[in-house]
Amino acid sequence: MSPASHELKRAFETAAGLGVLIVAALGPLIFSTYWISFILTQVFLLGVAAASLIFLSAYGGMVSLTQVALYGIAGFVLGNVVTTGNSKGLNLGWDPWLGVLLGIAIATAVAFVFGALASRSAGIYFLMITLTYAVIANLFFGQVTTFSGFGGISGIRTPRFIGEVDSHPNRLYYVSLVVAVVVYAAIRYLVRTPFGITLQGVRDDPVRMSSLGYNVPLHRMIAFGFAGFIASLAGVLFVWWNGHIDPASIDLSATIDLLVIAVIGGLYRLEGAWLGAFVFVLINNYIRSVPGLGHLGISEERFHTVIGLIFLIIVLLSPGGLMGILGRASEFVERLLAGRRVATAATSPRSTGSGPD
Amino acid sequence: MSAVETAPEVRKQIALARLARYTPWALSGAAVVFAVLWIGFLAPACGANGCVGTQTNFGSAVHDPQDFLATLLDGVTAAGVYFVVASGFTLIFGLMRVVNMAHGAFFLLGGYITLKLQRAFVGEDSAFGLLSSQVHFWQWLVPSLIAAVCIAILGLGTQQIFLRWNQGQELRQALITIAIAIILADQMVAHFGAFAEDIAWPGILDRRVNVHVAGVHYTLTRLIILAVAVGIGVALWLWLKKTPTGMVIRAGVDDRQMVSALGVNIQLTFAIAFAVGSALAGFGGALGGSFASLGPGVDGNWLLYALVVVIIGGMGSLAGAAVGALLLGLVSNFSSAYLPGNYTFYSIIFTFVLLAIVLAFRPLGLFGRPA
């Protein structure tokens, strides 16, 4: 790739990113209330959660299935702290901001503990260990009626400046948008710091990094804790948006849904988090309107069959997800612009596995 | 700096390193000793008016040997089912490095196939399911074997169609099996409904027997589960140790490429191992569906059990699966029986504690070896 075309590509990406941001900032002028309050807010918060997963996978080589559980922990803590009058839970009725602070702090602390325990594993072992964390967290909140029980926690208030989400959807929309942008910028910044560079070294060759004197488990643990912090932000947004959280919000199906979002978007590009969330929420909402599906026996209740098939197709055909497809398309265009002959798949996408061992 | 000056510093560092190294051992050792003392001698029993403070439902083993023995048997027999399910998982993982995330879905589908066949064989289908008295022995055994065969074929198909050409790409294979698990789970909700159901035991087995220790009468079916699990374990062990196929599998676990280079058809071995591993999930579904129940979400729970067992025991090791299953069965049953009566719902934490202790000392599991 010539430097000029590289410049062009970056300029194009920046322009596309700014365009999306401007559209999002003007959202309430463009989209209907349903889109603002339901679809886009959900996209932003799911994107934040997916970004924590993609951060770990793209820069740390760790595919974590615990992010939904961590977001649930933040949500449950917040719910327990701020509500009153639920049949289960602590019903402390404290200030909403204190709830946010405690929720994020506790979820991040749990993430550090989880990260420390899993930090000597990588790859497929990491996936399995984090899946057990997720299921255990779900069972914990299902069984322990002190904090939740099956019914969950309802009536979770937002801080006053957001107000009632139903009557002021734009406020939560902007809060989610700002959190999403800040999270995106923070991750982009972090991966350029010495810590981020070291983390990528750990991803690529833990043995060599270890020989160079870097503490590999410590880097993994810190990365996991940071990702837990981001996931807990998504958890706070989720309970503000939903007003309710129960164990089903963090069950295996929800855990897998977040993985699906990250994989559809692309496990190796941060932008994929929000792209994947957008596609996922759209499919979830508009599957009933797709003509012809009803004749195939696929109704909206069979959403997970559809999403499973899409997931399967993406994993089989494009391990880089939609961002991978976009990347390849832009390379194709570049080569056309450069006037060169288009070679077939000159640069193959990065393989999702650790390669033959 | 001279050596004389640094010596105390170094000594201090060594002492600190020792402390860091032995503290987790000491802590976990103390925890285990306390648990044994608590269950054996210390646990107070709840009064007639309910439980207060740290009082437990049964009291200590010395105080109430019957319930202690029953809990022990509960743990060991539950471990039997865990072992059947997890041994299939670990067989597939050990040889092919495939983490079959659809193992739980295979389990549940195996259970449902058994359930539906049993109802078709018995011919009576009430809204509340069958009673044991309506079911003959073969009406339990034949459906469960057919289910095992069906799941073996399903697993074989999955491996040949989706996994075979992605060999070595571990994460991608895991994602593929997750996709299959999503689709299967959703289709099972569509076809079998969202209510929990269970498979009926055959009438002749569904009774209590006297185990002649401390006057305990214990459910025969659970003892039979244990016997079946031990039988499956011994059969798998003999298969792996004594037959040519088993020899190739063991060699393949150590070095696939070398086995392949020696002219062995490793693809055939992979196919056999995947079919057997899946069959164990299907048969485990028949056992688990009779032992507990079948319904949406059950697949996730049993996938969790399989994962915990193999993470504790070490992935790819049959002995590890047995030890892991035993530890999980005992820890989960004893923690729910011997926690203070008002707090038994915290028992799930102990599954996590078990996992955490093992991972802290042996990241690859008790019997695990680096790949």
Side-chain angles (χ1 to χ4, degrees), chain A residues 88-101:
Chain A
K88 302 281 160 60
L90 296 173
N91 293 313
L92 294 175
W94 294 348
D95 185 75
W97 285 112
L98 190 60
V100 171
L101 210 63

Side-chain angles (χ1 to χ4, degrees), chain A residues 259-299:
Chain A
L259 180 71
V260 170
I261 288 172
V263 170
I264 288 181
L267 273 179
Y268 305 104
R269 288 292 300 270
L270 201 52
E271 297 83 356
W274 288 276
L275 181 64
F278 186 63
V279 171
F280 183 87
V281 174
L282 275 193
I283 294 172
N284 200 349
N285 274 276
Y286 290 103
I287 190 167
R288 75 198 91 147
S289 339
V290 178
L293 275 185
H295 300 293
L296 296 173
I298 294 173
S299 59

Side-chain angles (χ1 to χ4, degrees), chain B residues 298-321:
Chain B
V298 168
D299 49 347
N301 291 349
W302 284 89
L303 179 63
L304 171 75
Y305 301 146
L307 285 171
V308 171
V309 166
V310 298
I311 291 172
I312 292 173
M315 288 169 237
S317 155
L318 197 62

